[in-house]
Amino acid sequence: EAIEDSLQTIHDIATENLGALCLTKLYRPLKITLNPERYTGARQKADLAAVVLQDVGVSRHNGLLDALAKGLLSDAYVTSARILSINVTDGLLTNSVWWNKEPGGMGAPLRIEAEGIAIGTKPDPSYPWFEDETSSPGLRSPKFTPTPPDISYKGWWTYPYYSCGQKKWILSYSVAIPPMGRHGIRGFLSIDIDISDLQVNQCNNPNRFEILSYNQHLRQYYPFVRNLKLREDEQMRQIEAFHSSHKCHVHSMRCEYRPVVTSVISPASLTVGPNGTGPLVMAGTMNGSTGGGPSILLAGGTTLQTVVNGWTRGAYQCRCKDGFYSFRHPDGFNGSIMEVAYQEYRDNISTYYKEVFVCVRCAPGCATCTGPEPCLATYNWAFRTTLLTFSVMCAGFTVVLALYMYQHRKVKVFKVASPIFLTITLLGCAFMYLEMAAIFPILDTYSCIATKWTRHMGFCVTYTALLMKTWRVSLTYRVKSAHQVKLTDKQLLQWMVPILLVMFIYLGTWTLSAPPTAERIEDQYGLIFKQCSYNWWDHSLAIGEVLFLAWGIRVCYNVRNAESLYNEAKLISYAIYNIALVNTTMEEIQKLAAQIEFMKIVHMEMNNRHLKPKPGGYFTMKSPLGKSFGGTGGGVGSGSGSHRHKHTKEDSVKEHSGVTEDGHSGTNSCYSGTANSIG
């Protein structure tokens, strides 16, 4: 509430909306505290002067008060200094000194004779820098800000206030000087610091992005401003109490500080060069209510002074964050308008703040947007749901079949075929069927990881179980001795575990080190859809699975004539042949699809009239003699009569050998219009 009231006061002063208030009340204090660290030097000088006056007394040396007051004005930040001598008994002034610095700091100090500090009267209590110590011991008054707990001051800082007479924002520091005796004269010292150069930045604490945005704003709208780099001193000019007091919607907008920069024509102080030549140095005066900037010399000995009016409410721009847009205000909302809309919303006057001055979330999948247009390709949910339902039903049916087989495991056909391996095979199939459920409804990194695990681990479990059964038949069939070889299920499981462990370690390492991600791909309409990344992890695993399939085919070939109950070995061989054929076919289809996509890109690049082929590049057309058609200069039909092709011996060798200049191997198809052969 204190910040909002202070912002309203700043707005009234900036828009000259005070009316008769300045006639009845000359000072307008705020309810926020400033960080006085920037003015530590001025405070230390005031404390030192107070110590001197406490030691020598404030009533014995009339000239000392003037000297100390004018000495305090030597500080660059101090604009006024005053010392009062007050009778402890009746509180009347016995002496008073008030000195002001000349505007611009160019002339001698000016002595002020104010009615509020006339000798023989009590000091005016309306002064924001004064408080009677008898009524407020230790100057513990609402006029002064609390002292930070970790810092000890001899005096007290006031709240920042606006002086209607001087038209400046001022911060005062006051020190009470105790009397030398019980009934002596006590002193009071106070200095004023012009804080009109401070800036009301309502955005968040400025970071590198906001500093760059601030400089870009000045370059765009005020090209005459120089030295745009925001240094540490510039950051200290921003009032911390107003940080994060903007009215931008935090979840959908970001605040960008936009200071109000104006130009003021002011007289210039010219330094004439040797022999009466033109001016060498120009010093522009600084308006008391603004921060000075660089000057430009104009005709008539005047300067164009650039100033930053930092004491302004709403000096920012509310821009939509990435993922949000505003159709009516694509460049953002002015901070002043947001302040008014927020005030009307708080006073229940209008709801524009919540309904009009808002940023709308982009369509799903859009990182940035300028309207409600979709960014994601439309899914055929009926088809996807059908596939998902079919896959889940198959997985469920496989699990039910495994339970049925285990319940009837003593039946001869199941008992001969090893129930435990049949169960493992069915569970592996159910695991593979869940791949469709892993990518539903929307693909992301976790879905891609689940897809890889269900596909490859399910394949490894199913195929290894079938292969172990066939391997047992192969070992039994190959034995030529009279001793019968009997391999139990436990032994086969011991051989099966290392194979599954290798697959588990590979998939685990893949997931932890470089998990597959959902890549964003655009279709021909610019709409985005996602596809799991495919890299050397997939290629390596595919090569390993192909070798594993080849070994299984070899084992099946060895037992092609083996006899077994219910022709189990032959049926398992058919299953392994089927797995190998389907996997190989799908791998070739995937490679063919990638090749077709690549050729589409090549065709698009070669027929794009907005792209200029680079000479010797991949998309440059080649003649049978190895010369470029699409490059600049030297191409067929591109030169004048003076640039003729010289058929050298080297070109003749290239022509007969079919090698072009860029190193691609060519064939006789070059003569029929083909640009390059992809070797």
Side-chain angles (χ1 to χ4, degrees):
E1 189 68 25
I3 293 179
E4 293 300 324
D5 293 342
S6 299
L7 288 174
Q8 184 62 42
T9 302
I10 293 173
H11 177 68
D12 293 338
I13 293 173
T15 57
E16 299 181 356
N17 194 28
L18 292 177
L21 294 179
C22 267
L23 298 178
T24 58
K25 193 174 182 180
L26 298 179
Y27 304 99
R28 304 290 298 176
L30 301 181
K31 299 180 181 180
I32 54 101
T33 59
L34 291 182
N35 182 12
E37 181 182 356
R38 187 183 182 192
Y39 314 111
T40 301
R43 177 187 60 80
Q44 292 175 348
K45 292 178 182 178
D47 291 342
L48 180 60
V51 171
V52 172
L53 291 175
Q54 182 178 355
D55 292 339
V56 302
V58 294
S59 61
R60 298 183 181 181
H61 302 275
N62 295 330
L64 179 61
L65 302 184
D66 290 323
L68 289 176
K70 289 191 290 185
L72 292 175
L73 294 179
S74 62
D75 190 90
Y77 295 109
V78 178
T79 59
S80 298
R82 60 192 73 86
I83 302 175
L84 308 180
S85 299
I86 305 174
N87 193 316
V88 177
T89 304
D90 53 13
L92 300 179
L93 287 169
T94 60
N95 195 3
S96 64
V97 173
W98 188 336
W99 289 89
N100 278 359
K101 186 181 293 185
E102 182 73 16
M106 302 302 297
L110 301 177
R111 186 183 179 99
I112 304 298
E113 300 293 340
E115 296 181 359
I117 57 172
I119 298 176
T121 62
K122 291 185 177 181
D124 189 354
S126 65
Y127 286 133
W129 47 265
F130 177 78
E131 186 64 56
D132 190 0
E133 192 176 7
T134 57
S135 60
S136 300
L139 298 185
R140 298 184 181 275
S141 169
K143 295 181 180 181
F144 302 106
T145 62
T147 303
D150 55 343
I151 300 177
S152 177
Y153 295 151
K154 190 174 181 62
W156 298 85
W157 289 99
T158 64
Y159 288 98
Y161 60 91
Y162 181 76
S163 174
C164 294
Q166 302 182 49
K167 297 187 181 301
K168 293 181 180 180
W169 287 97
I170 297 174
L171 180 68
S172 298
Y173 180 74
S174 302
V175 183
I177 305 172
M180 299 185 66
R182 178 176 297 181
H183 302 287
I185 302 297
R186 59 184 174 87
F188 192 91
L189 184 147
S190 177
I191 59 174
D192 291 344
I193 296 176
D194 185 7
I195 58 173
S196 299
D197 62 335
L198 298 185
Q199 300 175 5
V200 180
N201 183 0
Q202 296 179 244
C203 296
N204 300 329
N205 194 21
N207 51 29
R208 182 175 179 271
F209 174 77
E210 292 186 5
I211 292 173
L212 294 177
S213 178
Y214 168 84
N215 293 340
Q216 184 180 3
H217 169 74
L218 293 184
R219 289 192 186 96
Q220 181 178 359
Y221 296 101
Y222 310 99
F224 47 82
V225 178
R226 298 295 184 268
N227 300 326
L228 300 176
K229 186 177 180 181
L230 193 63
R231 301 180 297 272
E232 182 179 359
D233 181 66
E234 295 292 336
Q235 295 184 16
M236 294 183 65
R237 288 187 180 183
Q238 297 183 359
I239 304 175
E240 296 180 359
F242 291 116
H243 285 168
S244 302
S245 64
H246 60 84
K247 304 306 180 295
C248 303
H249 298 284
V250 179
H251 70 284
S252 60
M253 297 180 182
R254 67 174 184 270
C255 178
E256 294 182 2
Y257 181 47
R258 291 290 181 264
V260 180
V261 182
T262 57
S263 57
V264 177
I265 298 178
S266 58
S269 175
L270 301 180
T271 302
V272 181
N275 302 324
T277 58
L280 293 180
V281 181
M282 176 184 63
T285 60
M286 182 184 297
N287 192 321
S289 63
T290 55
S295 303
I296 300 176
L297 181 63
L298 300 177
T302 59
T303 58
L304 181 63
Q305 181 81 18
T306 60
V307 293
V308 178
N309 186 10
W311 288 85
T312 305
R313 187 189 72 173
Y316 58 87
Q317 192 86 355
C318 293
R319 293 189 178 274
C320 296
K321 291 182 178 180
D322 292 342
F324 295 86
Y325 74 95
S326 175
F327 190 76
R328 296 182 178 179
H329 303 275
D331 296 330
F333 302 90
N334 186 277
S336 300
I337 299 177
M338 295 294 292
E339 293 285 340
V340 175
Y342 176 79
Q343 187 174 1
E344 292 181 354
Y345 173 76
R346 188 179 61 175
D347 298 338
N348 294 325
I349 298 177
S350 68
T351 58
Y352 288 159
Y353 179 73
K354 288 290 187 179
E355 296 178 357
V356 178
F357 300 105
V358 294
C359 291
V360 184
R361 186 179 295 275
C362 297
C366 297
T368 58
C369 64
T370 57
E373 294 79 11
C375 293
L376 294 179
T378 303
Y379 290 108
N380 190 341
W381 289 106
F383 180 70
R384 287 168 60 89
T385 306
T386 302
L387 289 181
L388 176 65
T389 304
F390 180 75
S391 299
V392 173
M393 288 178 59
C394 290
F397 177 75
T398 305
V399 174
V400 171
L401 186 60
L403 295 176
Y404 175 82
M405 186 274 306
Y406 182 78
Q407 186 177 2
H408 299 82
R409 60 186 179 277
K410 294 183 179 180
V411 178
K412 184 178 181 181
V413 65
F414 293 148
K415 187 175 182 180
V416 171
S418 184
I420 187 170
F421 279 97
L422 292 178
T423 304
I424 293 174
T425 303
L426 291 174
L427 292 179
C429 292
F431 204 51
M432 283 190 291
Y433 279 127
L434 294 178
E435 179 183 355
M436 182 60 65
I439 63 175
F440 194 90
I442 301 298
L443 201 64
D444 56 8
T445 301
Y446 298 103
S447 299
C448 290
I449 294 174
T451 300
K452 306 297 183 182
W453 276 83
T454 53
R455 179 190 305 167
H456 297 291
M457 185 57 74
F459 165 78
C460 186
V461 171
T462 301
Y463 186 73
T464 305
L466 292 175
L467 189 58
M468 288 296 103
K469 291 167 58 67
T470 309
W471 179 250
R472 175 164 54 185
V473 176
S474 175
L475 291 180
T476 305
Y477 182 74
R478 288 165 52 188
V479 173
K480 298 181 180 180
S481 62
H483 299 283
Q484 183 180 4
V485 177
K486 186 177 182 181
L487 297 176
T488 62
D489 291 345
K490 184 177 180 180
Q491 291 175 321
L492 292 180
L493 289 175
Q494 291 176 352
W495 292 353
M496 182 178 177
V497 168
I499 300 176
L500 298 180
L501 186 61
V502 170
M503 178 62 73
F504 183 84
I505 293 175
Y506 186 90
L507 292 176
T509 305
W510 186 2
T511 302
L512 295 177
S513 61
T517 58
E519 296 180 344
R520 300 165 64 94
I521 303 176
E522 294 185 1
D523 60 7
Q524 63 271 26
Y525 303 106
L527 299 179
I528 300 172
F529 65 94
K530 292 184 178 181
Q531 178 178 308
C532 292
S533 58
Y534 196 82
N535 49 33
W536 67 270
W537 287 91
D538 297 270
H539 295 299
S540 301
L541 190 56
I543 293 174
E545 290 177 350
V546 168
L547 296 177
F548 196 29
L549 284 171
W551 180 53
I553 293 174
R554 182 178 180 276
V555 173
C556 293
Y557 181 79
N558 292 335
V559 298
R560 64 188 182 279
N561 296 323
E563 295 181 359
S564 60
L565 293 176
Y566 305 105
N567 291 325
E568 181 186 13
K570 184 179 294 185
L571 295 177
I572 292 177
S573 299
Y574 290 160
I576 292 177
Y577 293 151
N578 182 33
I579 293 175
L581 179 62
V582 171
N583 278 271
T584 304
T585 304
M586 295 303 296
E587 189 71 22
E588 292 300 324
I589 291 176
Q590 187 174 9
K591 290 182 179 180
L592 180 61
Q595 187 70 14
I596 293 174
E597 188 68 23
F598 174 75
M599 294 306 298
K600 287 182 179 179
I601 296 175
V602 172
H603 181 74
M604 179 184 65
E605 295 286 347
M606 294 181 63
N607 292 276
N608 193 343
R609 61 185 179 88
H610 298 287
L611 296 179
K612 191 174 184 180
K614 181 180 178 181
Y618 183 80
F619 299 107
T620 304
M621 298 291 291
K622 296 290 182 177
S623 69
L625 300 180
K627 296 301 180 180
S628 300
F629 279 107
T632 57
V636 176
S638 62
S640 61
S642 60
H643 294 82
R644 297 182 178 178
H645 173 67
K646 296 182 180 180
H647 188 78
T648 61
K649 181 178 180 181
E650 183 181 356
D651 293 334
S652 178
V653 173
K654 291 181 180 179
E655 178 182 355
H656 289 85
S657 62
V659 180
T660 59
E661 286 184 347
D662 60 349
H664 291 289
S665 60
T667 61
N668 291 333
S669 61
C670 293
Y671 295 97
S672 61
T674 304
N676 285 328
S677 62
I678 301 176

